[in-house]
Amino acid sequence: MCESHEHLGRKLSRRGVLSGVGALVAAGIVGFPRALAEQPISDTPAPNAIKPEAALQRLMDGNARYAANTPREKDYSAGRAARVSAQYPIAAVLGCSDSRVAPELAFDQGPGDMFVVRIAGNFVDDDGLASLEYAVKFLGVPLIMVLGHQNCGAVDTAVKVVTARAELPGHLPDLIKAIEPAVIAAHAHHPSDLVAASIEENVRLNVKRLKADEPIVSEAMAAGKINVVGGIYDLASGKVALL
């Protein structure tokens, strides 16, 4: 009887393992390490193998077109099949979740051109950092931009928390806590517009954190493969000003 139960246990255990593996495969988790190297290998430089300054120029030229309301015509179906197997973004953008700020539109770029990470307040958290590291390590982006914007609600709320001791429900305190250092740093300079100053300081602090990221971002910067810059998007004009 014990032997029979032992045999049944092994059978069920094996079935459970196979079932579990099947679920992981379906979720794309088991194949993830292999997926990291799925960009086609070729002696030809990748389309995004450009200098950081060239990538930045492309973004700023695109922003000038967007602000002037003269964007390039785009065929969104063109290249769709080619992008199934690979992507070659020219920049990674850490932007705010604000519905009024769409990086691909603001820089007049098409599908596959930008790797965008968005969170209210455009700050670096662990998950966002890992996403940006992925873009640097496995997609070869030559540029990271931290993109803040005028009248940021998340920063404005952080200012109210710091200056007026406002209390927030749910998980909002965790979000605001990440922005508070920028408000405190800006407040020390006694600016006439604390929200605007905090928005800029928030971008600067997160650019600094990304540059210090070890080993992926800092090593790529030391090798001259990427640069990290900051910018502020003006809601009214559509223009991005570099910091």
Side-chain angles (χ1 to χ4, degrees):
M1 178 65 75
C2 291
E3 184 178 351
S4 175
H5 277 292
E6 184 181 352
H7 173 73
L8 179 59
R10 287 199 302 267
K11 184 176 180 180
L12 289 175
S13 177
R14 181 172 182 272
R15 182 183 301 168
V17 169
L18 290 175
S19 175
V21 170
L24 291 173
V25 169
I29 296 174
V30 168
F32 185 65
R34 184 177 65 183
L36 296 181
E38 281 183 353
Q39 295 282 74
I41 297 174
S42 172
D43 292 334
T44 304
N48 64 346
I50 59 178
K51 292 184 178 298
E53 52 267 31
L56 180 59
Q57 189 62 55
R58 282 178 60 175
L59 292 191
M60 299 311 293
D61 287 347
N63 179 246
R65 293 192 300 270
Y66 172 76
N69 200 29
T70 57
R72 288 176 176 168
E73 291 187 10
K74 296 177 181 64
D75 180 354
Y76 289 102
S77 65
R80 187 178 293 157
R83 289 191 296 270
V84 169
S85 60
Q87 57 175 315
Y88 302 99
I90 62 167
V93 174
L94 172 60
C96 184
S97 299
D98 194 295
S99 62
R100 300 166 293 179
V101 185
E104 292 90 345
L105 295 179
F107 292 107
D108 192 29
Q109 300 300 311
D113 290 334
M114 301 181 70
F115 185 94
V116 181
V117 176
R118 299 181 68 169
I119 187 169
N122 47 270
F123 61 86
V124 180
D125 64 1
D126 289 344
D127 294 331
L129 179 58
S131 294
L132 294 170
E133 288 178 334
Y134 174 86
V136 172
K137 183 70 174 179
F138 297 107
L139 301 182
V141 295
L143 180 73
I144 299 177
M145 176 181 284
V146 179
L147 184 63
H149 68 92
Q150 174 196 33
N151 293 352
C152 179
V155 174
D156 181 63
T157 301
V159 168
K160 290 181 172 65
V161 168
V162 171
T163 61
R165 305 288 184 180
E167 295 186 2
L168 303 172
H171 292 85
L172 289 170
D174 294 332
L175 179 79
I176 298 306
K177 189 178 296 184
I179 306 173
E180 285 182 3
V183 177
I184 293 170
H187 189 270
H189 300 294
H190 304 290
S192 57
D193 188 337
L194 180 56
V195 173
S198 298
I199 288 169
E200 291 190 8
E201 193 64 34
N202 186 47
V203 169
R204 290 191 179 95
L205 287 177
N206 283 283
V207 166
K208 184 178 180 180
R209 180 179 178 188
L210 283 170
K211 286 183 175 180
D213 172 58
E214 294 182 346
I216 295 176
V217 177
S218 59
E219 287 184 359
M221 285 197 66
K225 295 180 179 179
I226 70 162
N227 193 16
V228 183
V229 299
I232 303 292
Y233 176 82
D234 184 88
L235 294 174
S237 69
K239 294 180 180 179
V240 173
L242 296 176
L243 296 182

